[in-house]
Amino acid sequence: MLYRDLAAFFERLEGTPGRLGMTAILVELLAKVQPGEMTAVVRLLQGAVAPDWEGLEVGLAEKQILKALAMAQGSSTKSAEALTALQTLYHETGDLGLAAEAVVAKSQQRQTSLFGASELTVAAAFAGIQAIARTTGTGSQEAKQRLLSKLLLDASALEARYLTRMVAGRLRLGVADMTFLDALAAWRLGRGVRSVTDMEDAERAEQEALRAELERAYDLRSDLAVVADALASGGLDAVAQLGVAYGTPVRPMAAERLKTLGEILTKMEGRVAMEYKYDGLRIQAHVSPSASAPGGTEVRLFSRRLEELTAQFPDVVADLKTAFAGQSFIAEGEAIALDKEGRMRPFQDVSRRRGRKTDLDAVAKEIPITLFLFDLLADSSGSTMAKPLVERRERLARLVGTLHDRIRVSTLEEATDEKGMEMFFDKAVEEGAEGIMCKDPRAPYKAGSRGFAWVKFKTDYTEALVDTLDLVAIGAFYGRGRRAGWYGAILMAAYDDTAGVWRSVCKLGTGFDDATLETLKPRFEPHLSAARPANVDSEMEPDVWFQPAIVMEVQAAELTLSPIHRAAWGQLKPGAGLAARFPRFTRWRDDKKALQATTVKEVVRLYETKG
């Protein structure tokens, strides 16, 4: 497949706001992909070089990309005049991709007539981008620039737009993972794309069954490329064989919210397993015999975002190796910093470890971590996720035992009445937890899903304020007065997982101290969008738009009907959506991806249960 054909699909996707329209375009694209090309096409579609947990990034900043553009148009990277002209063009377009497109179009006006259209293949484009990402060491920036300039020399103007956005980390076509799975199912069935309401019952059931099997494989492997490649090369049998793999993170299960303990008890049919809700960093630990060192033990740690954290927690790795030498299991837990008296320290203390690359041993001594394991996803017998929670917990307790003081099983008790739940909740808060997790003891572990098998109940629920919301930034407003030169407020949104769209919920301008305000522009700069992204729904127009990427925790006084904000538009009242009233920023949720943020459905449920 030629890269120019893929770029044409990208352009169509970029201009298509609806999920059904995107799905139809993706089905058309999949029909043109050869089986051996599937991984490259899916990676390029996602704007990724490798799965999240491999941590492989292109590593080219704006300045280096502009220098590569200068090289591609025949200018010296040391030419101040050429770089100034490119900077001006970039600021005029507001998009590195559009700037690259203009540069290449101008430089190739004569070449196109002489040599014809570009023949850059998808395989060559992907290999070139991978080569840029894997170039490291002394002189790597200059080498990366040369590799990119070579790609741009082989590219047409449209191809240059998407190649440049890809290496800048700003492709973001708005294709949600679930939309791609819908397209895979429709492509496999070969009946085109229609709304489920327009299908016959048998047709709908067949598509939903296939879609569920694809999602099951994705939940276990966390990689759309692996699922698509299996389907393309081996059909449904190959997809069915995709299971849990050590060293590959499972998409984490998530919790719902309910307002009262009574509602939770009713939802779980009178029997609830409760555990402390630790305010720590969620970690998925993979422990297995080492393939490279006979007799050794390999440990890999992954975050809720599926990023690898192994190097950032050398003490946890050492503890797991000591406690579980030669064993195999996958377990989830919370990494907690405890003080000398054994009380839980704030989340901020643990988060200092995340993303750190230097002084790890010193920080580990300063902030020692205790890992509270709360679920078992696999052991030496294989996956345990289909088994009920009570059995998974029994296996986990036997596995952990009392082997190590810093590797423990989370505190858990069962209750069959509200009084017992209240007593456990009070005990949890007294010991420093932020609340409790209530779980159905009969339920399996459903990777990647959010449901009422798990319900969180926090201290916020006992106050007048609603629970905190994990919202996604979609734009910003410039500050005035003392905030001049900074972003003064951020436009926040909740995720509509039915439509694959982020819908506005509030304008957030409080809770920021001056130090935080100063960091807003550089933090959001990689996610700037020249126009409103196709997967964003907002009546309010910010001064700048962002691609949905950064999650922020927001505390609000209440949820209210709004004629401006678009979350749940028209669901509760014609011409109105839901808004968070008096929102206040509380903390960054760097441990969550945008797709893991609060959904519109959750916002609706919180509104309906208020008071």
Side-chain angles (χ1 to χ4, degrees):
M1 185 179 190
L2 294 176
Y3 184 72
R4 70 165 180 261
D5 295 330
L6 183 60
F9 279 106
F10 286 176
E11 186 175 37
R12 290 171 60 190
L13 287 167
E14 191 178 357
T16 304
R19 183 170 182 170
L20 206 62
M22 280 188 168
T23 304
I25 295 170
L26 290 169
V27 171
E28 188 180 339
L29 166 61
L30 289 166
K32 296 182 180 295
V33 179
Q34 298 300 311
E37 301 172 324
M38 188 62 77
T39 295
V41 168
V42 177
R43 293 267 187 262
L44 291 168
L45 181 68
Q46 293 179 296
V49 185
D52 292 340
W53 59 91
E54 290 189 12
L56 188 62
E57 297 179 350
V58 175
L60 272 177
E62 286 180 2
K63 188 174 182 180
Q64 278 71 46
I65 293 173
L66 292 173
K67 287 182 177 180
L69 275 173
M71 293 171 68
Q73 68 178 0
S75 302
S76 167
T77 59
K78 295 182 180 180
S79 169
E81 183 179 349
L83 288 175
T84 298
L86 286 171
Q87 281 276 12
T88 301
L89 177 62
Y90 168 39
H91 289 301
E92 287 175 352
T93 60
D95 184 301
L96 278 169
L98 295 178
E101 184 175 17
V103 168
V104 172
K106 184 176 181 180
S107 64
Q108 289 189 341
Q109 283 176 352
R110 179 174 175 273
Q111 292 176 358
T112 300
S113 62
L114 290 175
F115 303 112
S118 163
E119 295 298 317
L120 181 66
T121 65
V122 164
F126 186 56
I129 294 169
Q130 282 187 313
I132 295 171
R134 292 196 171 108
T135 299
T136 59
T138 304
S140 61
Q141 290 302 306
E142 291 77 8
K144 286 174 182 281
Q145 292 166 28
R146 288 193 295 271
L147 288 168
L148 176 56
S149 68
K150 184 180 185 304
L151 268 182
L152 294 173
L153 282 169
D154 293 337
S156 67
L158 184 63
E159 290 172 323
R161 180 203 301 179
Y162 293 106
L163 286 170
T164 302
R165 286 180 179 174
M166 175 85 182
V167 299
R170 300 177 189 174
L171 183 64
R172 303 185 188 95
L173 299 171
V175 178
D177 294 354
M178 297 302 113
T179 302
F180 184 78
L181 291 177
D182 288 341
L184 269 184
W187 167 65
R188 173 70 183 185
L189 293 172
R191 293 195 292 254
V193 176
R194 289 184 295 153
S195 169
V196 292
T197 57
D198 296 330
M199 296 180 187
E200 299 292 335
D201 290 346
E203 182 183 356
R204 184 187 307 114
E206 184 181 13
Q207 176 146 327
E208 288 176 352
L210 174 55
R211 171 64 166 70
E213 177 60 19
L214 294 172
E215 187 170 351
R216 179 207 65 82
Y218 174 53
D219 289 338
L220 298 180
R221 289 301 183 90
S222 306
D223 191 341
L224 290 176
V226 167
V227 178
D229 184 65
L231 186 64
S233 59
L236 291 176
D237 288 343
V239 173
Q241 291 173 14
L242 293 176
V244 174
Y246 284 92
T248 297
V250 173
R251 293 181 70 226
M253 186 172 174
E256 280 286 2
R257 315 162 192 243
L258 287 172
K259 194 74 173 176
T260 68
L261 292 172
E263 289 177 282
I264 297 172
L265 188 64
T266 300
K267 181 67 74 172
M268 296 187 183
E269 299 179 352
R271 181 186 171 198
V272 181
M274 307 165 297
E275 64 188 6
Y276 288 7
K277 189 177 190 310
Y278 301 97
D279 190 14
L281 191 65
R282 187 168 173 179
I283 282 181
Q284 190 177 117
H286 290 231
V287 179
S288 61
S290 175
S292 58
T297 300
E298 182 175 357
V299 172
R300 297 183 70 180
L301 307 177
F302 302 99
S303 73
R304 187 202 309 260
R305 291 172 57 94
L306 309 180
E307 299 165 324
E308 184 153 11
L309 301 176
T310 309
Q312 292 149 44
F313 290 87
D315 48 341
V316 175
V317 171
D319 291 342
L320 287 167
K321 285 184 176 181
T322 299
F324 304 105
Q327 300 193 59
S328 298
F329 68 90
I330 300 173
E332 281 202 301
E334 288 276 339
I336 306 294
L338 300 180
D339 61 23
K340 293 180 180 179
E341 286 72 40
R343 288 186 60 84
M344 301 173 205
R345 292 168 62 171
F347 171 78
Q348 288 75 11
D349 287 353
V350 185
S351 65
R352 287 175 56 191
R353 302 281 292 274
R354 191 176 181 277
R356 196 178 187 99
K357 296 181 180 179
T358 60
D359 300 325
L360 289 167
D361 290 334
V363 176
K365 290 180 180 178
E366 179 189 351
I367 310 173
I369 295 296
T370 298
L371 184 62
F372 288 88
L373 297 174
F374 60 76
D375 215 325
L376 185 68
L377 280 58
D379 59 16
S380 58
S381 68
S383 173
T384 59
M385 289 187 285
K387 300 185 181 302
L389 173 65
V390 287
E391 183 174 341
R392 300 197 308 273
R393 285 286 303 206
E394 287 171 1
R395 290 191 182 201
L396 182 63
R398 288 197 301 269
L399 180 71
V400 176
T402 57
L403 291 173
H404 202 293
D405 185 54
R406 291 193 298 272
I407 306 294
R408 309 181 192 176
V409 175
S410 63
T411 300
L412 182 141
E413 292 180 12
E414 285 198 24
T416 55
D417 56 44
E418 283 189 61
K419 183 177 177 65
M421 295 177 72
E422 289 171 0
M423 290 176 63
F424 185 82
F425 175 79
D426 291 342
K427 177 184 173 185
V429 172
E430 183 180 344
E431 294 190 13
E434 61 173 353
I436 59 175
M437 291 293 297
C438 300
K439 299 181 178 181
D440 185 342
R442 295 146 295 204
Y445 185 98
K446 294 184 178 179
S449 74
R450 184 190 297 275
F452 288 101
W454 288 10
V455 178
K456 57 185 174 182
F457 187 80
K458 297 167 62 176
T459 51
D460 309 82
Y461 290 34
T462 64
E463 303 169 0
L465 303 182
V466 301
D467 183 23
T468 55
L469 306 171
D470 293 327
L471 301 177
V472 177
I474 58 172
F477 302 85
Y478 290 122
R480 297 180 180 179
R482 192 174 62 83
R483 294 189 177 187
W486 298 340
Y487 291 150
I490 308 295
L491 184 60
M492 307 300 297
Y495 183 56
D496 184 337
D497 55 356
T498 301
V501 172
W502 279 267
R503 305 195 191 277
S504 68
V505 173
C506 64
K507 180 180 179 182
L508 177 65
T510 58
F512 303 111
D513 56 25
D514 286 352
T516 302
L517 285 169
E518 289 182 8
T519 67
L520 292 183
K521 275 192 172 181
R523 180 182 281 266
F524 285 108
E525 196 277 334
H527 309 290
L528 285 170
S529 176
R532 183 174 66 187
N535 57 350
V536 164
D537 180 18
S538 174
E539 185 75 18
M540 191 173 282
E541 289 275 342
D543 294 314
V544 295
W545 290 102
F546 302 141
Q547 293 287 348
I550 292 181
V551 184
M552 303 164 70
E553 186 181 81
V554 177
Q555 181 81 58
E558 64 175 331
L559 294 168
T560 183
L561 292 170
S562 166
I564 298 174
H565 289 292
R566 304 290 294 185
W569 187 261
Q571 291 183 33
L572 301 165
K573 179 182 177 181
L578 283 175
R581 190 165 178 255
F582 302 129
R584 181 178 182 82
F585 169 72
T586 53
R587 63 172 170 168
W588 302 102
R589 291 308 306 261
D590 294 331
D591 59 323
K592 284 192 173 185
K593 290 185 176 181
L595 291 174
Q596 296 171 322
T598 298
T599 65
V600 169
K601 291 175 185 174
E602 288 182 272
V603 175
V604 170
R605 277 194 290 272
L606 283 171
Y607 174 79
E608 290 176 337
T609 58
K610 69 179 181 178

